[in-house]
Amino acid sequence: MMPTMTRQAALAVLLILALARNIAAVNIKNMGWGTFYDPKGEFCGDYDCYKILGFNYEDYIDSPRGPPMKEITKNYRALSREWHPDKNQAKGADEIFVKIAKAYEIMTNDEKRAEYDYLRDRPDEYFYRYGSNMIWKYAPQSNVFGVVVLLLTLFSILGWYVQLNHWQQIADAIIKAAVEDLGPQNGGSSESIDIRNKAMKIWEEERDIRMEMMSQFGNKDSKKQKKDKTNKQARKQQQNEELRPIITKLVNEIDDFGGGYRKPEWKDLFAVRFFQFPFYATKNGLWMVNYFIRRQRGLPYTDEELEYRTLAAIGHVAWDAASEEDQEEMKKRELWIPENLEAWEEHVETRKLSAGDMKKYIRWKKKQGTKME
C-alpha cells in the first residue's frame, strides 16, 4: 500500500511543478519598467534602463554620475541570477534576461548613459540623430500592377457613364423638340424636325392600318373620327403623345449626334485610350511638324489642313452638326479669319428665319447696311 501512495504523491508533485511553471509565465509589460522613447532600440527599447535595474532616474537628477557603479553591478548580478534562462523556466524569462543585460550595458557605459539621459525628454533630438524611419513605419508594399488595373477600371466606368449621360442629354433635347414640334427659333433643330417628319410618316401608316381594320369590322366610329374637328389643341396634344414613343425609338437608334455626343463604345474606354495615347500623340506630333514646315514654305493648304483650321475656329460640335455641303463651304470661306467667321455665323442665323422674316431682314439690311443683331 505504501509504494502505491508514494507513486501517487510523486505524480502529484510533478503535476504541481508543471502547473507552477505555467503559472510562473511572466509578461514583460507587467514588470513595472516604465517607458522610454526608443523606436530603434538603441538603448532599452520601450523601457527605462534605470528601472530595469531597479533604480529611479529622478532620485539621481542632482547626481551627475547617477547610481554608483558598484550598486549597478550588484543589482545586475542579482537580477541576472534570478532571470537566467538556465535557472528560471518561466515563459518570457529569456526576454527579460536580454533586457537586463542591455540595461547593464547602457548604465555601465558613461558615454552611452550620458546620451541616454540627454535624450530622455528630447524626442526631437532623437529624431534628428537617428532619422525619420525611427518614427514612421512603411506599410507593406502594394501590388503596383493591381493598383494600376483598379484605377484604369474605375476611370473607364466613370468615363463610360459620363459619355452616356452626355449622349442622353442631347437625346432628351431632340425628343422634346420633336414631340412639341419646335422650330429652329424655339429650340428645335434640323435633326429634330427630320425626326418628327419620319415619326409622322410612321404614325400615319399605323393610323391608316388601324382605320382600315376598323372599317373592315364595320366600326362606324372611324368615320366620325375623320370628321371630328373639334378641340384641335386636344387632338394635337394627343397626337404628340402618340408620336412620343415613335420619336423616342428613332432617337435611340442614333448612336452619334456629332461633337463627341455619342453612345460610348469599347474604344472610348479610358483604359483603351490610355494605351493608345502614345501612338496618337506621336502621330499628331509628326502631323503638326509637317504642318508648320508647309506653312513656313508658303505651300497651299491641303484639304486636311483646311479642316484642321476650320475646326480650330468653330469647334467640333458645330463642325459635326453641319452637313457635308456646309463643311465644304466653311473650308472655302477660311473661317479662321474673324471677319469671315462673323459673316458665316450671320448666314447660319438667317437660314433659321421664316420666309416672311427673311424678307423683312433683307429689306432691313439694305436700309441699314449692317449685319443682323
Side-chain angles (χ1 to χ4, degrees):
M1 191 69 180
M2 281 297 291
T4 304
M5 291 297 295
T6 303
R7 286 196 297 270
Q8 290 178 346
L11 289 174
V13 170
L14 292 175
L15 179 60
I16 293 171
L17 289 174
L19 291 174
R21 277 197 293 268
N22 292 332
I23 294 172
V26 292
N27 188 340
I28 195 170
K29 295 181 180 180
N30 298 327
M31 295 295 293
W33 286 349
T35 58
F36 190 84
Y37 180 77
D38 180 23
K40 187 179 178 182
E42 286 290 319
F43 305 101
C44 297
D46 296 333
Y47 305 102
D48 189 339
C49 294
Y50 279 82
K51 291 191 175 182
I52 291 176
L53 295 181
F55 300 104
N56 190 349
Y57 172 77
E58 284 73 14
D59 295 339
Y60 299 94
I61 292 179
D62 298 331
S63 175
R65 297 186 60 84
M69 188 64 64
K70 187 176 181 179
E71 291 186 21
I72 294 175
T73 303
K74 178 182 177 181
N75 287 7
Y76 164 70
R77 288 176 179 175
L79 291 169
S80 62
R81 282 196 301 269
E82 179 182 355
W83 294 103
H84 195 286
D86 293 341
K87 297 182 179 180
N88 193 325
Q89 301 297 318
K91 294 181 180 180
D94 52 348
E95 184 181 1
I96 294 174
F97 179 79
V98 170
K99 292 292 184 183
I100 292 170
K102 183 67 174 179
Y104 179 72
E105 176 187 343
I106 299 299
M107 296 294 288
T108 55
N109 185 317
D110 292 339
E111 183 179 350
K112 202 69 176 176
R113 189 172 68 178
E115 182 185 12
Y116 180 75
D117 293 342
Y118 176 75
L119 295 177
R120 174 175 290 275
D121 298 319
R122 297 177 177 85
D124 53 333
E125 186 67 22
Y126 185 102
F127 170 85
Y128 176 77
R129 294 189 182 188
Y130 298 106
S132 60
N133 63 325
M134 305 310 125
I135 294 180
W136 297 289
K137 293 183 180 179
Y138 290 101
Q141 186 175 5
S142 301
N143 187 324
V144 177
F145 177 77
V147 172
V148 171
V149 171
L150 177 61
L151 291 176
L152 289 177
T153 302
L154 291 176
F155 286 139
S156 296
I157 294 173
L158 178 62
W160 182 282
Y161 171 77
V162 170
Q163 185 168 339
L164 181 62
N165 186 56
H166 287 168
W167 176 90
Q168 190 63 54
Q169 289 177 354
I170 301 299
D172 292 342
I174 293 176
I175 291 172
K176 183 177 185 299
V179 170
E180 297 179 6
D181 196 14
L182 301 179
Q185 293 178 318
N186 297 319
S189 63
S190 59
E191 195 163 26
S192 65
I193 294 172
D194 182 56
I195 291 290
R196 184 177 176 87
N197 291 336
K198 290 180 180 178
M200 282 294 297
K201 290 181 181 179
I202 297 173
W203 178 79
E204 289 173 355
E205 291 174 0
E206 293 179 351
R207 182 195 61 183
D208 292 341
I209 293 173
R210 289 197 304 269
M211 297 296 290
E212 183 178 352
M213 292 179 62
M214 292 171 68
S215 62
Q216 288 178 356
F217 286 100
N219 193 332
K220 297 180 180 181
D221 293 338
S222 61
K223 297 181 179 180
K224 293 182 180 180
Q225 290 176 4
K226 288 183 179 180
K227 297 180 180 180
D228 185 14
K229 296 183 180 180
T230 60
N231 200 352
K232 291 180 63 176
Q233 185 177 359
R235 288 194 298 110
K236 178 71 172 178
Q237 185 175 359
Q238 181 182 355
Q239 182 189 58
N240 289 343
E241 291 304 316
E242 292 176 358
L243 285 171
R244 182 181 295 277
I246 302 174
I247 291 172
T248 301
K249 182 180 178 181
L250 292 173
V251 171
N252 287 335
E253 291 174 354
I254 302 174
D255 294 331
D256 192 349
F257 294 119
Y261 296 99
R262 65 175 184 272
K263 290 181 180 179
E265 302 175 354
W266 67 268
K267 62 183 179 181
D268 299 314
L269 292 173
F270 179 82
V272 175
R273 291 186 173 185
F274 177 81
F275 289 108
Q276 290 178 339
F277 175 77
F279 169 75
Y280 286 112
T282 303
K283 180 181 177 181
N284 292 336
L286 293 175
W287 188 92
M288 290 299 298
V289 170
N290 183 61
Y291 170 79
F292 283 116
I293 292 175
R294 289 178 58 83
R295 298 284 61 79
Q296 292 297 322
R297 295 173 61 186
L299 298 175
Y301 288 106
T302 64
D303 188 70
E304 191 176 8
E305 290 172 344
L306 287 172
E307 182 176 333
Y308 166 74
R309 297 218 62 179
T310 305
L311 276 170
I314 67 172
H316 285 275
V317 175
W319 175 263
D320 292 338
S323 63
E324 292 184 3
E325 294 78 8
D326 282 346
Q327 289 178 353
E328 291 299 323
E329 183 65 22
M330 285 189 286
K331 287 190 289 186
K332 292 177 182 178
R333 292 198 181 202
E334 298 183 347
L335 300 186
W336 53 90
I337 300 174
E339 294 78 8
N340 295 347
L341 179 60
E342 290 183 7
W344 173 256
E345 291 175 344
E346 182 180 358
H347 171 68
V348 172
E349 290 297 323
T350 56
R351 289 194 307 187
K352 297 179 182 179
L353 299 176
S354 62
D357 291 337
M358 177 62 76
K359 291 179 181 179
K360 293 179 182 179
Y361 168 71
I362 293 173
R363 289 196 299 267
W364 175 84
K365 189 172 183 181
K366 286 180 179 180
K367 183 178 178 180
Q368 300 293 329
T370 58
K371 70 181 184 71
M372 182 178 65
E373 295 297 335

